[in-house]
């Protein structure tokens, strides 16, 4: 399908990219991997006057691992995350989640920043960002700011990003060595967006009980959701079949998905519970 007409620029600096986006007065869009934006252009869901290609902007494609955690530059591609052996210990939950994104060809081009800006409620990266309390660093015409993932995702394909702002990096807090974690999703075919998915982690205190539990689900609401009621079921408890069953029930009670062409709300609610159950089983195994 032919794309609508647009102007195209590939600036060599971040300042230029921001200035170009600002010059569009809301009618300019950044383009990164193009794996979500190009289909949207083809379907006329978006028809910006100007596309600002970020591929020449330096330093956005780095994965930095330090004491404060993992920093993913906005132009880091899915395959960079898959291939980075350091992440197996620095952030195994992230790496496990990204292996579920799309197919090889899409993972070769799609970027972290593009996914977070696109804000598909069934996408893995926004779910990891919300579950892990990530921060999203952005820069725009009025300067730089850092937005917590909890405040960033406002609805389906809707974020707190201003039209002139570029995502610079996503910051994931440090990952302790002995942390327990699990990631599960259910899709009709391998590489499809999830019908429902869950990301969980917790630490184990000296008495063997769960602490600092984080439970996130995606594909079952307008944004990825962090489920505090489910975390409350886990914190201070030994994670066993009984706690996991209570967490599954609490998950189903905490989500309110809609009916759509793929599944009924009741099915998705039950599926969310099952995803959390399986993720906790794998975390505790
Ligand atoms: C067949 C297929 C299957 C897919 N399956 C999945 C899946 O299972 N899970 C999943 O998560 N995704 C999936 N995707 C989407 C894929 O992961 C995309 O790569 C991703 O959502 C967007 O990244 P991108 O770099 O391609 O962004 P683009 O398509 O270039 O841009 C997407 C949006 O982000 C904005 N944007 C991009 N970069 C920035 C930036 N740095 N700052 C500000 N705004 C920016 C653009 O303006 C645009 O609005 C699939 C895509 C396809 C084509």
């Amino acid at each position: 399908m032919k794309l609508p007409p647009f102007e195209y620029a590939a600036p060599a600096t971040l300042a230029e990219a921001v200035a170009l986006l600002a010059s569009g007065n809301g009618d300019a869009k950044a383009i990164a991997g193009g794996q979500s934006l190009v289909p949207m252009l083809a379907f006329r869901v978006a028809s910006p006057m100007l596309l600002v290609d970020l591929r020449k902007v330096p330093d956005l494609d780095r994965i930095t691992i330090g004491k404060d955690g993992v920093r993913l530059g906005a132009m880091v591609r899915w395959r960079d995350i898959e291939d980075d052996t350091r992440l197996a210990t620095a952030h195994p939950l992230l790496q496990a989640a990204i292996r579920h994104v799309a197919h090889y060809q899409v993972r070769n081009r799609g970027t972290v920043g593009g996914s977070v800006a696109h804000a598909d409620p069934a996408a893995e990266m926004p779910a990891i960002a919300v579950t892990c309390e990530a921060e999203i660093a952005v820069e725009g015409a009025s300067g730089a700011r850092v937005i917590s993932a909890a405040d960033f995702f406002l609805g389906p394909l809707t974020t707190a990003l201003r039209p002139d702002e570029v995502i610079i990096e996503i910051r994931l807090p440090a990952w302790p060595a002995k942390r327990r974690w699990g990631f599960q999703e259910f899709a009709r075919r391998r590489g499809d967006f999830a019908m429902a998915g869950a990301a969980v982690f917790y630490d184990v205190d000296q008495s063997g009980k769960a602490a600092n539990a984080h439970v996130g689900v995606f594909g079952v609401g307008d944004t990825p959701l962090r489920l505090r009621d489910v975390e409350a079921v886990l914190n201070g408890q030994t994670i066993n079949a009984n706690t996991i069953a209570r967490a599954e029930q609490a998950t189903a009670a905490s989500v309110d998905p809609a009916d759509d062409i793929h599944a009924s709300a009741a099915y998705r609610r039950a599926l969310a519970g099952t995803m959390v159950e399986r993720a906790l089983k794998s975390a505790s195994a």
Side-chain angles (χ1 to χ4, degrees):
M1 207 183 279
K2 283 185 182 162
L3 304 183
F6 52 82
E7 298 293 318
Y8 172 86
T13 66
L14 182 59
E16 262 183 275
V18 167
L20 281 161
L21 285 173
S23 74
N25 287 323
D27 206 12
K29 271 209 156 296
I31 182 163
Q35 299 301 295
S36 294
L37 185 54
V38 172
M40 287 178 79
L41 296 174
F43 286 115
R44 305 297 192 267
V45 179
S47 46
M49 174 199 77
L50 170 66
L51 288 190
V52 180
D53 195 334
L54 300 178
R55 73 194 157 89
K56 290 185 183 167
V57 176
D59 304 332
L60 294 183
D61 58 353
R62 295 190 185 153
I63 300 178
T64 312
I65 298 172
K67 280 195 184 130
D68 58 344
V70 175
R71 291 177 177 225
L72 302 170
M75 291 297 279
V76 166
R77 296 172 194 270
W78 304 129
R79 63 161 294 184
D80 300 328
I81 295 175
E82 274 185 290
D83 291 351
D84 194 321
T85 52
R86 300 171 303 163
L87 289 170
T89 47
H91 214 298
L93 176 63
L94 168 72
Q95 217 171 27
I98 291 329
R99 291 202 178 101
H100 291 265
V101 174
H103 313 279
Y104 178 79
Q105 292 86 344
V106 174
R107 290 205 299 275
N108 217 19
R109 298 207 61 84
T111 66
V112 168
S115 175
V116 169
H118 187 58
D120 191 306
E124 290 82 359
M125 188 66 222
I128 291 297
V130 167
T131 308
C132 297
E133 299 186 63
E135 290 180 334
I136 296 152
V138 308
E139 196 157 321
S142 50
R145 63 183 179 130
V146 176
I147 311 166
S148 72
D151 295 333
F152 188 83
F153 300 102
L154 303 180
L157 313 191
T158 311
T159 71
L161 204 61
R162 297 182 190 128
D164 58 272
E165 283 179 326
V166 175
I167 297 174
I168 309 299
E169 66 180 11
I170 288 84
R171 301 172 183 165
L172 295 161
W175 187 268
K178 292 191 175 164
R179 178 165 279 173
R180 300 292 191 136
W181 62 273
F183 183 88
Q184 292 284 326
E185 72 171 57
F186 184 82
R188 282 210 172 131
R189 294 164 301 194
R190 167 132 189 91
D192 277 9
F193 277 101
M195 290 174 73
V200 307
F201 69 82
Y202 58 88
D203 299 319
V204 179
D205 68 17
Q206 286 175 340
S207 60
K209 313 265 197 228
N212 189 33
H214 283 56
V215 176
V217 289
F218 57 104
V220 291
D222 286 350
T223 62
L225 303 169
R226 190 163 158 209
L227 303 182
R228 308 269 182 174
D229 288 352
V230 184
E231 294 170 3
V233 167
L234 302 171
N235 280 326
Q237 303 297 319
T238 306
I239 305 303
N240 55 26
N242 179 35
T243 357
I244 293 174
R246 286 198 292 123
E248 177 187 359
Q249 285 162 12
T251 301
S254 303
V255 298
D256 187 19
D259 289 312
D260 65 20
I261 53 164
H262 302 295
S264 67
Y267 179 80
R268 269 213 165 84
R269 188 178 301 113
L271 190 57
T274 303
M275 293 299 99
V276 167
E277 177 204 10
R278 290 183 186 170
L280 284 169
K281 277 186 178 159
S282 104
S284 63

